[in-house]
Amino acid sequence: MLYVVATPIGNMEDVTLRALDVLRGCDALAAEDTRRTRQLLTRYEIPRPRTLLSLHEHNEEHSAQRVVGLLDGGARVALCSDAGTPLVSDPGYRTLRLVVEKGFPVVAIPGPSAVLAALAVSALPPSSFIFKGFPPRKPGPRKRFLEADADAPHTLILFESPHRIAKLLADAHEVLGDREACVCVDLTKRYEATHRGVLSALAGEFEGETVRGEVTVVIAGTTRR
């Protein structure tokens, strides 16, 4: 059986009891970064599993075959990313597809989510939302990326690098208009901060600023009918 295990997005105390139980009982652990996952195991005094393998975007094709081989041998395998839920803007999709195609059962072990945490504190409509992951790095593709949902009434949620957040906010203002938005920085971690306002004001606030930590952006949907 493959367990898709969500891990903390920053604060180690956010891990679930069920996730710890699965990590203690698994025969093999496929991790995006084995060093990061070892920190979690050490924090909760969980012995290293018999098999610990890296599974990231550059080796997933090979590692997915290893995971299937372990499952075929009767192993209980846990899949973890660096933070949050595997597959969500993280590696694991190709592995999961292959595991399902081979007929092995998959169990979700839910837990911390930057997407839902940011939505919950954004003060923007939570009933319907779109998660878009990371936008393109270059201005042209990034604007087209935003234009795809310009007429959607749903709240929009994105991840962004701290080095590009000001450019994203400026482009969002240009493409979407001066909508309400919320920028969550370093959720659950040392530099955690939540910034609310309209896109033009937020773009100005972040222009030239040094931002530390990962960023989640929440933008209101259109009010046009």
Side-chain angles (χ1 to χ4, degrees):
M1 183 175 293
L2 177 69
Y3 298 90
V4 180
V5 183
T7 55
I9 59 175
N11 192 320
M12 290 282 194
E13 294 183 2
D14 289 337
V15 69
T16 69
L17 295 175
R18 190 174 176 215
L20 293 176
D21 187 55
V22 168
L23 293 174
R24 285 192 185 97
C26 68
D27 303 304
L29 175 55
E32 182 181 3
D33 185 335
T34 56
R35 295 167 299 179
R36 288 281 296 273
T37 304
R38 278 200 191 102
Q39 292 175 6
L40 180 63
L41 299 180
T42 300
R43 170 69 173 76
Y44 289 98
E45 299 180 347
I46 298 174
R48 182 186 184 278
R50 187 168 63 238
T51 302
L52 178 62
L53 64 129
S54 65
L55 189 152
H56 48 74
E57 61 177 325
H58 302 297
N59 75 348
E60 186 170 0
E61 184 174 354
H62 171 71
S63 293
Q65 296 292 341
R66 286 194 64 190
V67 168
V68 167
L70 289 162
L71 293 169
D72 198 42
R76 294 165 296 177
V77 182
L79 172 64
C80 296
S81 61
D82 283 352
T85 304
L87 284 75
V88 181
S89 289
D90 273 325
Y93 171 70
R94 285 182 288 178
T95 300
L96 187 68
R97 288 285 301 183
L98 184 61
V99 167
V100 169
E101 288 171 5
K102 297 295 184 181
F104 295 105
V106 178
V107 174
I109 309 298
S113 165
V115 174
L116 297 182
L119 178 64
V121 301
S122 68
L124 295 172
S127 58
S128 178
F129 65 92
I130 302 170
F131 172 61
K132 296 282 287 185
F134 285 93
R137 297 185 178 191
K138 295 183 178 180
R142 184 166 56 233
K143 290 178 183 179
R144 291 191 291 274
F145 175 89
L146 292 166
E147 286 168 356
D149 296 291
D151 295 323
H154 318 290
T155 297
L156 181 64
I157 305 175
L158 311 96
F159 289 157
E160 185 53 293
S161 160
H163 310 296
R164 292 190 296 274
I165 182 59
K167 293 178 180 178
L168 169 65
L169 293 170
D171 285 348
H173 176 220
E174 179 182 334
V175 172
L176 304 175
D178 213 10
R179 300 184 186 183
E180 286 187 82
C182 176
V183 179
C184 296
V185 180
D186 213 34
L187 282 167
T188 81
K189 290 175 277 190
R190 180 178 179 181
Y191 300 104
E192 179 172 2
T194 302
H195 307 257
R196 300 181 187 87
V198 293
L199 285 168
S200 60
L202 288 169
E205 181 179 346
F206 281 93
E207 180 64 33
E209 287 295 310
T210 299
V211 180
R212 299 182 179 181
E214 298 176 352
V215 182
T216 306
V217 181
V218 187
I219 303 173
T222 185
T223 56
R224 295 195 296 265
R225 297 291 182 178

